[in-house]
Amino acid sequence: MSALLQALVKTVSTPLKAPLCALAEKAATTLLKNISNGALIIHTPAHTYSFGDASNAQDGSSQDSSKAPTVELTVRDDMFWVRLCAMGDLGFAEGYMYGEIDCDDLVNVFLVFLANRAQLSAIDSSFFSRVMSHMPHLGLTAHIVNTVANARKNISAHYDISNTMFMGFLSEDMTYSCAIFPDLDGDLRHAASQASTPSLSGASTPSTLAGSEPAAHKDIAYDAANMPPLSPATTRRELSDADLQRKEKEDPLAAAQYRKLRHIIRKADIRPGHRVLEIGSGWGALAILITSTIPGTSVDTLTLSTQQAALARARAEAAGLAERVRVHLLDYRNMPREWEGAFDRVVSVEMVEAVGPEYMETYWAKIDWALNKDTGAGVVQGITIPEARFEQYMREVDFIRKWVLFPGGFLPTLTFLVETLAKGSRGRLVVDAVSNIGPHYARTLREWRRRFEARFEDTIVPALKAEYPGVMDADDDKARGEIEVFRRKWIYYYCYCEVGFTTRRLGDHIITFSREGNVEYGCQVYE
């Protein structure tokens, strides 16, 4: 769609471009007059528009969540109006990515839009939107099927950007999934007590970011192959509360990630001597933690990312666990025959989003196939979407799937997960417990965003230049423009998802399951 819009602007004469943008601006501002909760102020070179009632909006000290805040946008390029009318929220995202708009706080902008979603929904049925929806050849709404051939390309598009880039914003454990904090939004309370200067890009804002970078993270030169020190494990030994408290003082995000990993291990009831299958390796954090804290365990972990596989192997070797952590560059559908029934436990953390609706039953069928037929059990953690929004979500292409991060990605509902589990396993897998840690994702994303911004120039930019020579390493405006689009895309991703989890429009469910009659599994609900 964006390519079509750019081509349209380039091909029409200047006298036609201005009326087109003016028409779109008129249509959009007419719709925005319907804002009634909170206030939106838009600055353009010719006008300042004010929508809603600032006197009735939430102020910085208000605790009334029913009121939306007052936010400001600045339009830098009139093409923004065309994008907005043509593609709604996706057009807004692209306008931000390309620098056509700036704002002082993206998170609050999203909160205003959500508070007025009923009034603003008409933009999706506008004249522009109807025209674009009848152009399927553009590929905007095409669904990418995660066949075995496509799956590796789809995963690579995100996870093979650069290991060093991910090191720039992840904590030392390199866990790229929702953490569990002892204090859900403690960072926001800390932020409220500190002054901060907003940024026009919506990056560092007092309402969403807090504190300075943890001391342990200021120098990115830490050895990513090494996990943090743990107490000796001569018998079955978990990561203790004392370990987490010590880590909490050094880096709250790292402590929260280890807390989540420990939670997964406990829910799975992984015991000494167990053989574990992990679908979705990440950079090896969970596999290394299992094998370094539970004697005699081994993990076969699967990934489709070449960069993740290389670093996960290096970290396992550095930890002296190369023989017990086996990293396979392998699709879960292509597991070798000898793995049938070979695993005591299966764990899969935020990989299910890459499976796709067509293969969800296959995913569960392969888990069923790999697990011990009598005493197998497992844990799957995945981002979910509420059932009420599922049909609309399936019809549309959102910012995350199109642009950012996960081509071919698909967010299931909890119902869809449970139903496909039953069908794929033919009833041989039985759900034991379900929980939702989604609210913890908002803070996780804020922590990532803070690190991303703090390390962008000295870590992430050099990593991008090294990974993409000839594209981002040139000393010219084009290369810098590519880097700026990349930066804005990730900032938008962090803020967009943060609001989704804060407002519970996204969930992150942990499903534990076992075999019928598996009395050895016990009860892990109150671990």
Side-chain angles (χ1 to χ4, degrees), residues 62 226 320 368 385:
S62 173
N226 292 326
D368 169 55
I385 193 166

Side-chain angles (χ1 to χ4, degrees), residues 74-96:
T74 299
V75 177
R76 307 291 185 190
D77 187 327
D78 285 343
M79 264 301 297
F80 163 72
W81 298 112
V82 179
R83 291 186 198 279
L84 183 64
C85 286
M87 296 183 289
D89 59 351
L90 184 57
F92 182 87
E94 293 189 357
Y96 179 80

Side-chain angles (χ1 to χ4, degrees), residues 20-21 174 181-182 185 229 238 264 325 370 395 414 482 487 502:
L20 177 65
C21 292
M174 294 289 286
F181 295 88
D185 289 321
E238 294 178 340
I264 295 293
V325 176
R395 290 195 304 267
L414 175 61
E482 292 284 350
R487 186 187 73 84
T502 297

Side-chain angles (χ1 to χ4, degrees), residues 119-431:
Q119 298 93 313
L120 300 179
S121 62
I123 199 164
D124 292 323
S125 59
S126 68
F127 169 76
F128 286 90
S129 294
R130 291 197 302 271
V131 170
M132 299 307 176
S133 68
H134 286 88
M135 297 184 178
H137 61 280
L138 297 174
L140 178 65
T141 59
H143 172 61
I144 301 173
V145 178
N146 269 330
T147 62
V148 174
N150 284 340
R152 181 170 292 185
K153 292 187 292 183
N154 293 338
I155 292 298
S156 179
H158 182 56
Y159 294 103
D160 284 339
I161 293 174
S162 163
N163 282 338
T164 304
M165 193 283 288
F166 282 99
M167 288 180 196
F169 70 86
L170 297 178
S171 46
E172 63 181 22
D173 48 282
M174 294 289 286
T175 302
Y176 189 33
S177 58
C178 182
I180 297 178
F181 295 88
D183 189 359
L184 192 62
D185 289 321
D187 60 323
L188 296 185
R189 284 186 288 277
H190 178 61
S193 65
Q194 296 188 348
S196 178
T197 303
S199 149
L200 282 177
S201 68
S204 299
T205 59
S207 65
T208 56
L209 299 181
S212 60
E213 221 182 348
H217 203 81
K218 286 184 177 179
D219 184 2
I220 199 66
Y222 66 79
D223 184 356
N226 292 326
M227 303 293 281
L230 301 173
S231 302
T234 54
T235 59
R236 183 183 178 192
R237 168 80 168 129
E238 294 178 340
L239 190 64
S240 71
D241 290 337
D243 292 325
L244 291 179
Q245 289 170 4
R246 183 171 62 249
K247 183 57 63 179
E248 191 82 41
K249 296 178 181 179
E250 300 171 6
D251 183 354
L253 177 59
Q257 291 291 10
Y258 285 117
R259 185 177 293 105
K260 195 283 293 293
L261 296 178
R262 182 179 72 168
H263 180 72
I264 295 293
I265 291 170
R266 287 178 169 179
K267 296 294 285 186
D269 190 27
I270 300 173
R271 303 180 184 185
H274 273 177
R275 184 181 181 186
V276 180
L277 171 65
E278 181 184 25
I279 303 178
S281 306
W283 288 272
L286 180 55
I288 292 172
L289 189 60
I290 290 169
T291 50
S292 64
T293 58
I294 306 177
T297 51
S298 64
V299 179
D300 287 275
T301 181
L302 313 183
T303 182
L304 294 178
S305 165
T306 55
Q307 293 209 22
Q308 282 190 336
L311 184 53
R313 290 188 185 111
R315 298 178 78 195
E317 183 175 358
L321 297 167
E323 293 184 1
R324 292 169 59 197
V325 176
R326 298 176 287 271
V327 182
H328 307 270
L329 195 64
L330 180 69
D331 191 286
Y332 68 93
R333 289 162 289 194
N334 292 334
M335 290 185 284
R337 292 180 180 179
E338 58 269 24
W339 284 12
E340 181 177 4
F343 295 93
D344 301 287
R345 298 291 185 263
V346 170
V347 291
S348 185
V349 176
E350 291 188 19
M351 178 275 174
V352 72
E353 304 88 343
V355 170
E358 300 88 354
Y359 291 98
M360 197 66 72
E361 288 186 24
T362 302
Y363 170 79
W364 291 113
K366 297 303 289 185
I367 289 175
D368 169 55
W369 173 88
L371 272 175
N372 182 289
K373 305 308 178 186
D374 299 313
T375 59
V379 175
V380 167
Q381 175 187 335
I383 300 172
T384 57
I385 193 166
E387 279 76 3
R389 294 199 297 115
F390 186 62
E391 289 187 9
Q392 180 182 1
Y393 169 77
M394 290 295 289
R395 290 195 304 267
E396 298 175 351
V397 173
D398 62 5
F399 170 72
I400 301 297
R401 284 186 287 178
K402 183 191 172 185
W403 271 114
V404 187
L405 311 170
F406 308 107
F410 160 74
L411 299 185
T413 63
L414 175 61
T415 301
F416 191 82
L417 283 175
V418 173
E419 288 179 348
T420 53
L421 177 151
K423 292 178 181 178
S425 70
R426 297 188 178 181
R428 290 185 292 263
L429 296 179
V430 180
V431 172

